[in-house]
mmCIF file of all heavy atoms in Angstrom:
data_model
loop_
_atom_site.group_PDB
_atom_site.id
_atom_site.type_symbol
_atom_site.label_atom_id
_atom_site.label_comp_id
_atom_site.label_asym_id
_atom_site.label_seq_id
_atom_site.Cartn_x
_atom_site.Cartn_y
_atom_site.Cartn_z
ATOM 1 N N ARG A 353 -7.593 14.369 9.368
ATOM 2 C CA ARG A 353 -6.315 14.692 9.896
ATOM 3 C C ARG A 353 -6.431 15.581 11.169
ATOM 4 O O ARG A 353 -7.305 16.482 11.155
ATOM 5 C CB ARG A 353 -5.544 15.551 8.818
ATOM 6 C CG ARG A 353 -4.217 16.131 9.230
ATOM 7 C CD ARG A 353 -3.540 16.821 8.131
ATOM 8 N NE ARG A 353 -3.104 15.870 7.066
ATOM 9 C CZ ARG A 353 -2.227 16.189 6.143
ATOM 10 N NH1 ARG A 353 -1.657 17.378 6.127
ATOM 11 N NH2 ARG A 353 -1.902 15.287 5.179
ATOM 12 N N ASP A 425 -5.725 9.585 8.643
ATOM 13 C CA ASP A 425 -4.592 10.354 7.943
ATOM 14 C C ASP A 425 -3.643 10.705 9.085
ATOM 15 O O ASP A 425 -3.571 10.024 10.080
ATOM 16 C CB ASP A 425 -5.241 11.587 7.208
ATOM 17 C CG ASP A 425 -4.191 12.260 6.350
ATOM 18 O OD1 ASP A 425 -3.720 11.679 5.339
ATOM 19 O OD2 ASP A 425 -3.809 13.408 6.664
ATOM 20 N N VAL A 426 -2.948 11.817 8.982
ATOM 21 C CA VAL A 426 -2.022 12.244 9.969
ATOM 22 C C VAL A 426 -2.584 12.277 11.341
ATOM 23 O O VAL A 426 -3.605 12.981 11.521
ATOM 24 C CB VAL A 426 -1.270 13.570 9.556
ATOM 25 C CG1 VAL A 426 -0.281 14.036 10.596
ATOM 26 C CG2 VAL A 426 -0.573 13.408 8.251
ATOM 27 N N ASN A 427 -2.017 11.586 12.287
ATOM 28 C CA ASN A 427 -2.421 11.661 13.723
ATOM 29 C C ASN A 427 -3.822 10.997 14.025
ATOM 30 O O ASN A 427 -4.445 11.246 15.024
ATOM 31 C CB ASN A 427 -2.374 13.049 14.350
ATOM 32 C CG ASN A 427 -0.969 13.473 14.524
ATOM 33 O OD1 ASN A 427 -0.096 12.758 14.678
ATOM 34 N ND2 ASN A 427 -0.835 14.822 14.332
ATOM 35 N N ARG A 465 -4.787 -3.246 5.717
ATOM 36 C CA ARG A 465 -5.069 -1.831 5.568
ATOM 37 C C ARG A 465 -4.013 -0.967 6.166
ATOM 38 O O ARG A 465 -3.490 0.075 5.563
ATOM 39 C CB ARG A 465 -6.462 -1.462 6.152
ATOM 40 C CG ARG A 465 -6.748 0.011 6.144
ATOM 41 C CD ARG A 465 -6.728 0.623 4.731
ATOM 42 N NE ARG A 465 -6.906 2.103 4.789
ATOM 43 C CZ ARG A 465 -5.938 3.042 4.840
ATOM 44 N NH1 ARG A 465 -4.616 2.605 4.895
ATOM 45 N NH2 ARG A 465 -6.214 4.261 4.773
ATOM 46 N N THR A 469 -0.626 1.852 2.543
ATOM 47 C CA THR A 469 -0.113 2.966 1.917
ATOM 48 C C THR A 469 1.404 2.833 1.723
ATOM 49 O O THR A 469 1.888 3.044 0.671
ATOM 50 C CB THR A 469 -0.411 4.311 2.684
ATOM 51 O OG1 THR A 469 -1.778 4.286 2.888
ATOM 52 C CG2 THR A 469 -0.010 5.496 1.991
ATOM 53 N N GLN A 496 11.730 11.077 4.696
ATOM 54 C CA GLN A 496 11.245 12.076 5.610
ATOM 55 C C GLN A 496 9.820 11.698 6.144
ATOM 56 O O GLN A 496 8.851 11.485 5.365
ATOM 57 C CB GLN A 496 11.136 13.475 4.974
ATOM 58 C CG GLN A 496 10.809 14.565 5.985
ATOM 59 C CD GLN A 496 10.096 15.694 5.475
ATOM 60 O OE1 GLN A 496 9.284 15.721 4.473
ATOM 61 N NE2 GLN A 496 10.287 16.856 6.057
ATOM 62 N N GLY A 497 9.695 11.545 7.423
ATOM 63 C CA GLY A 497 8.402 11.078 7.985
ATOM 64 C C GLY A 497 8.596 9.611 8.243
ATOM 65 O O GLY A 497 8.764 8.786 7.314
ATOM 66 N N PHE A 498 8.572 9.186 9.501
ATOM 67 C CA PHE A 498 8.691 7.748 9.774
ATOM 68 C C PHE A 498 7.513 7.265 10.583
ATOM 69 O O PHE A 498 7.642 6.583 11.592
ATOM 70 C CB PHE A 498 10.040 7.607 10.547
ATOM 71 C CG PHE A 498 10.725 6.277 10.412
ATOM 72 C CD1 PHE A 498 11.196 5.896 9.165
ATOM 73 C CD2 PHE A 498 10.806 5.330 11.439
ATOM 74 C CE1 PHE A 498 11.775 4.687 8.935
ATOM 75 C CE2 PHE A 498 11.380 4.150 11.261
ATOM 76 C CZ PHE A 498 11.846 3.788 9.994
ATOM 77 N N GLY A 499 6.363 7.721 10.114
ATOM 78 C CA GLY A 499 5.081 7.195 10.713
ATOM 79 C C GLY A 499 4.562 6.054 9.981
ATOM 80 O O GLY A 499 5.344 5.221 9.481
ATOM 81 N N ASN A 500 3.267 5.924 9.832
ATOM 82 C CA ASN A 500 2.672 4.800 9.210
ATOM 83 C C ASN A 500 3.250 4.627 7.731
ATOM 84 O O ASN A 500 3.709 3.541 7.405
ATOM 85 C CB ASN A 500 1.129 5.056 9.157
ATOM 86 C CG ASN A 500 0.451 4.048 8.313
ATOM 87 O OD1 ASN A 500 0.344 4.033 7.123
ATOM 88 N ND2 ASN A 500 -0.099 2.970 8.989
ATOM 89 N N VAL A 501 3.202 5.622 6.943
ATOM 90 C CA VAL A 501 3.611 5.557 5.532
ATOM 91 C C VAL A 501 5.103 5.368 5.392
ATOM 92 O O VAL A 501 5.661 4.379 4.750
ATOM 93 C CB VAL A 501 3.134 6.783 4.787
ATOM 94 C CG1 VAL A 501 3.562 6.679 3.306
ATOM 95 C CG2 VAL A 501 1.658 6.937 4.821
ATOM 96 N N GLN A 520 14.222 11.387 8.635
ATOM 97 C CA GLN A 520 13.862 12.608 9.431
ATOM 98 C C GLN A 520 12.419 12.454 9.919
ATOM 99 O O GLN A 520 11.537 12.023 9.136
ATOM 100 C CB GLN A 520 13.972 13.831 8.538
ATOM 101 C CG GLN A 520 13.539 15.112 9.267
ATOM 102 C CD GLN A 520 13.665 16.359 8.389
ATOM 103 O OE1 GLN A 520 12.747 16.735 7.758
ATOM 104 N NE2 GLN A 520 14.832 16.933 8.459
ATOM 105 N N ASP A 521 12.197 12.788 11.141
ATOM 106 C CA ASP A 521 10.854 12.982 11.573
ATOM 107 C C ASP A 521 10.762 14.190 12.492
ATOM 108 O O ASP A 521 11.663 14.931 12.414
ATOM 109 C CB ASP A 521 10.372 11.603 12.272
ATOM 110 C CG ASP A 521 10.981 11.411 13.636
ATOM 111 O OD1 ASP A 521 11.741 12.257 14.121
ATOM 112 O OD2 ASP A 521 10.635 10.338 14.232
ATOM 113 N N HIS A 522 9.600 14.298 13.196
ATOM 114 C CA HIS A 522 9.462 15.567 13.913
ATOM 115 C C HIS A 522 10.376 15.663 15.114
ATOM 116 O O HIS A 522 10.528 16.761 15.721
ATOM 117 C CB HIS A 522 7.949 15.744 14.354
ATOM 118 C CG HIS A 522 7.532 14.820 15.581
ATOM 119 N ND1 HIS A 522 7.444 13.543 15.403
ATOM 120 C CD2 HIS A 522 7.449 15.077 16.845
ATOM 121 C CE1 HIS A 522 7.041 12.922 16.470
ATOM 122 N NE2 HIS A 522 7.022 13.917 17.470
ATOM 123 N N ALA A 572 7.502 11.676 3.270
ATOM 124 C CA ALA A 572 6.227 10.899 3.817
ATOM 125 C C ALA A 572 5.843 11.596 5.141
ATOM 126 O O ALA A 572 5.482 10.945 6.027
ATOM 127 C CB ALA A 572 6.584 9.439 3.968
ATOM 128 N N ALA A 573 5.887 12.974 5.068
ATOM 129 C CA ALA A 573 5.442 13.687 6.320
ATOM 130 C C ALA A 573 4.410 14.644 6.016
ATOM 131 O O ALA A 573 3.125 14.100 5.962
ATOM 132 C CB ALA A 573 6.631 14.398 6.883
ATOM 133 N N LEU A 574 4.556 15.831 5.687
ATOM 134 C CA LEU A 574 3.551 16.753 5.393
ATOM 135 C C LEU A 574 3.737 17.415 4.034
ATOM 136 O O LEU A 574 4.727 17.205 3.365
ATOM 137 C CB LEU A 574 3.543 17.876 6.447
ATOM 138 C CG LEU A 574 3.282 17.367 7.940
ATOM 139 C CD1 LEU A 574 3.553 18.463 8.913
ATOM 140 C CD2 LEU A 574 1.754 16.847 8.066
ATOM 141 N N GLY A 594 5.333 9.865 -0.894
ATOM 142 C CA GLY A 594 4.495 9.214 0.110
ATOM 143 C C GLY A 594 3.482 10.105 0.699
ATOM 144 O O GLY A 594 2.326 9.711 0.954
ATOM 145 N N ALA A 595 3.914 11.296 1.071
ATOM 146 C CA ALA A 595 2.966 12.304 1.619
ATOM 147 C C ALA A 595 2.091 12.860 0.505
ATOM 148 O O ALA A 595 2.372 12.627 -0.673
ATOM 149 C CB ALA A 595 3.771 13.439 2.253
ATOM 150 N N ASN A 596 1.076 13.538 0.942
ATOM 151 C CA ASN A 596 0.190 14.297 -0.014
ATOM 152 C C ASN A 596 0.782 15.723 -0.222
ATOM 153 O O ASN A 596 1.067 16.409 0.797
ATOM 154 C CB ASN A 596 -1.174 14.448 0.550
ATOM 155 C CG ASN A 596 -1.943 13.093 0.443
ATOM 156 O OD1 ASN A 596 -1.954 12.454 -0.664
ATOM 157 N ND2 ASN A 596 -2.460 12.683 1.568
ATOM 158 N N ASN A 621 1.014 7.188 -3.302
ATOM 159 C CA ASN A 621 0.431 6.811 -2.005
ATOM 160 C C ASN A 621 -1.076 6.271 -2.129
ATOM 161 O O ASN A 621 -1.715 6.354 -1.139
ATOM 162 C CB ASN A 621 0.613 7.864 -0.949
ATOM 163 C CG ASN A 621 -0.256 9.180 -1.232
ATOM 164 O OD1 ASN A 621 -1.306 9.030 -1.873
ATOM 165 N ND2 ASN A 621 0.185 10.340 -0.896
HETATM 166 P P1 NAD B 1383 1.832 9.630 10.688
HETATM 167 O O1 NAD B 1383 1.157 10.554 11.685
HETATM 168 O O2 NAD B 1383 1.758 8.222 10.988
HETATM 169 O O3 NAD B 1383 3.291 10.042 10.503
HETATM 170 C C1 NAD B 1383 3.684 11.315 10.146
HETATM 171 C C2 NAD B 1383 5.244 11.372 10.302
HETATM 172 O O4 NAD B 1383 5.709 12.608 9.789
HETATM 173 C C3 NAD B 1383 5.807 11.126 11.705
HETATM 174 O O5 NAD B 1383 6.960 10.367 11.612
HETATM 175 C C4 NAD B 1383 6.220 12.560 12.101
HETATM 176 O O6 NAD B 1383 7.235 12.516 13.049
HETATM 177 C C5 NAD B 1383 6.638 13.161 10.805
HETATM 178 N N1 NAD B 1383 6.564 14.632 10.796
HETATM 179 C C6 NAD B 1383 5.544 15.417 11.228
HETATM 180 N N2 NAD B 1383 5.901 16.685 11.101
HETATM 181 C C7 NAD B 1383 7.238 16.679 10.579
HETATM 182 C C8 NAD B 1383 8.107 17.768 10.229
HETATM 183 N N3 NAD B 1383 7.798 19.008 10.374
HETATM 184 N N4 NAD B 1383 9.317 17.357 9.737
HETATM 185 C C9 NAD B 1383 9.632 16.061 9.611
HETATM 186 N N5 NAD B 1383 8.793 15.074 9.917
HETATM 187 C C10 NAD B 1383 7.583 15.358 10.388
HETATM 188 O O7 NAD B 1383 1.175 10.002 9.304
HETATM 189 P P2 NAD B 1383 1.040 9.087 7.960
HETATM 190 O O8 NAD B 1383 -0.248 8.356 8.014
HETATM 191 O O9 NAD B 1383 2.244 8.287 7.805
HETATM 192 O O10 NAD B 1383 0.983 10.136 6.880
HETATM 193 C C11 NAD B 1383 2.165 10.800 6.327
HETATM 194 C C12 NAD B 1383 1.706 11.486 4.985
HETATM 195 O O11 NAD B 1383 1.214 10.459 4.119
HETATM 196 C C13 NAD B 1383 0.669 12.559 5.063
HETATM 197 O O12 NAD B 1383 0.946 13.552 4.073
HETATM 198 C C14 NAD B 1383 -0.578 11.818 4.717
HETATM 199 O O13 NAD B 1383 -1.569 12.707 4.167
HETATM 200 C C15 NAD B 1383 -0.069 10.870 3.642
HETATM 201 N N6 NAD B 1383 -0.877 9.694 3.462
HETATM 202 C C16 NAD B 1383 -1.216 8.864 4.434
HETATM 203 C C17 NAD B 1383 -1.987 7.743 4.193
HETATM 204 C C18 NAD B 1383 -2.313 6.758 5.227
HETATM 205 O O14 NAD B 1383 -2.969 5.743 4.895
HETATM 206 N N7 NAD B 1383 -1.850 6.821 6.430
HETATM 207 C C19 NAD B 1383 -2.486 7.592 2.899
HETATM 208 C C20 NAD B 1383 -2.203 8.487 1.846
HETATM 209 C C21 NAD B 1383 -1.379 9.531 2.211
#
Side-chain angles (χ1 to χ4, degrees):
R353 175 175 294 196
D425 189 65
V426 175
N427 291 327
R465 172 62 185 90
T469 306
Q496 186 207 28
F498 209 66
N500 174 279
V501 179
Q520 175 180 92
D521 71 4
H522 73 286
L574 297 170
N596 287 308
N621 70 29

